[in-house]
Amino acid sequence: MGELVFIGLGLHDERDVTRRGLEEAQACDALFAEFFTSRLQGATPEALAALYGREVHVLAREEVEGSDRVVEAAREGRVGFLVAGDPMAATTHVELRLRAHRAGVRTRVVAGVSALTAAAGALGLQIYKFGRTASLPLPRRGFAPLSPYEVVAANRAAGLHTLLLLDLQEERYLTPAEGLAYLLEAEERAGDGAVRAETLACVVGRLGSAEPHVRADRMETLLKEDHGPPLHVLAVPGRLHFMEVACLEAFAGLPADLAEALTR
Ligand SMILES: C[S@@+](CC[C@H](N)C(=O)[O-])C[C@H]1O[C@@H](n2cnc3c(N)ncnc32)[C@H](O)[C@@H]1O
């Protein structure tokens, strides 16, 4: 009987998979991967294939969401579906899992290290003080929804932090500066006063790599900085505990005057 195993690959390269995930992938009859919800910037499909001992078929979004290819393969044998990060965190793969389940295919999830928790950890922000997460979209003509800004506004009104994922499509990545500009432009349209140029924000880049990028400063300062190559997330803090301020100062370059104002 077949099986579909969702396997999280972690954050940066082929070494970020858990030992369990590695063993599960090696035990599969066929391996598929998708890199449209997130990427392993430090790994190639060839490096993954060498580690797992079999070819990895990288699928486009339509081949996952608009096709039964993965489910059909999983009727025949054990199929691994490889996803960067945690396979079910900020992805649509629960739909594929349900489709497989309804087709009578057994499914399992092997969790992976996720950018959603790793970003909070790198900044020293407490995970239970985050409100809803939002995604900032790449600019498309006539499409700049206010919804991510509204999530920040609602979280900040409740004193909660907001994690903002940055859209990626093929070789285009929304940069941290574009993300911050998006929020400030939304502020101009909505006018709720949720964010200003002086509002504290955080940028986290290249989690899992040897040199992750971790910054906290006023939006206007972060807007002018070079945050290096992708991937990145943004965070807009809500009410900060003094330990969180101390972490931002120690690990994210938060300027001392801002740290002092935030702990006052
Ligand atoms: C749609 S989410 C999917 C998250 C993934 N399933 C996980 O658990 O990490 C993808 C977004 O997470 C962020 N991200 C993923 N990996 C990252 C990394 N290594 N460093 C920084 N941000 C990352 C980026 O904003 C990226 O566009």
Side-chain angles (χ1 to χ4, degrees), residues 23-264:
E23 289 173 1
E24 291 277 2
Q26 287 170 336
C28 284
D29 302 311
L31 292 175
F32 294 98
E34 68 80 8
F35 295 114
F36 55 81
T37 61
S38 195
R39 306 265 161 89
L40 289 187
Q41 293 296 84
T44 58
E46 294 73 34
L48 295 172
L51 191 62
Y52 305 140
R54 56 177 42 71
E55 200 181 338
V56 175
H57 304 281
V58 180
L59 302 179
R61 187 184 288 276
E62 332 55 273
E63 293 174 292
V64 175
E65 295 175 357
S67 152
D68 281 330
R69 183 169 169 192
V70 175
V71 176
E72 288 308 317
R75 284 182 193 277
E76 309 295 322
R78 189 184 295 179
V79 166
F81 186 72
L82 311 176
V83 183
D86 183 87
M88 296 296 161
T91 70
T92 49
H93 301 322
V94 70
E95 185 276 327
L96 175 61
R97 186 178 188 198
L98 274 175
R99 206 155 20 102
H101 176 77
R102 286 173 184 152
V105 173
R106 182 172 126 95
T107 64
R108 283 185 296 125
V109 179
V110 180
V113 181
S114 176
L116 279 80
T117 49
L123 289 163
L125 298 182
Q126 293 300 318
I127 199 76
Y128 49 78
K129 290 180 63 191
F130 278 78
R132 273 182 61 197
T133 297
S135 290
L136 291 169
L138 277 161
R140 262 164 279 163
R141 203 187 280 272
F143 181 73
L146 278 178
S147 46
Y149 166 87
E150 287 165 353
V151 169
V152 174
N155 285 343
R156 272 170 73 80
L160 300 172
H161 312 324
T162 309
L163 182 70
L164 292 152
L165 305 171
L166 303 183
D167 196 8
L168 54 92
Q169 266 168 39
E170 283 145 28
E171 289 316 305
R172 252 302 262 138
Y173 302 86
L174 193 80
T175 66
E178 288 171 322
L180 292 165
Y182 190 106
L183 291 178
L184 291 170
E185 280 161 23
E187 174 62 60
E188 277 179 28
R189 283 192 283 147
D192 289 350
V195 294
R196 298 178 215 291
E198 319 81 62
T199 300
L200 173 67
C202 309
V203 179
V204 185
R206 301 176 295 285
L207 282 160
S209 73
E211 289 186 20
H213 174 77
V214 187
R215 281 285 290 126
D217 213 319
R218 297 174 177 89
M219 286 190 174
E220 60 194 353
T221 308
L222 295 175
L223 262 169
K224 292 183 212 127
E225 291 181 358
D226 177 4
H227 300 286
L231 299 171
H232 298 96
V233 295
L234 297 176
V236 181
R239 247 191 318 278
L240 287 159
H241 185 267
F242 69 87
M243 291 277 277
E244 293 179 306
V245 176
C247 283
L248 293 180
E249 195 176 4
F251 309 125
L254 180 73
D257 65 319
L258 205 46
E260 201 195 316
L262 287 163
T263 30
R264 219 180 279 141

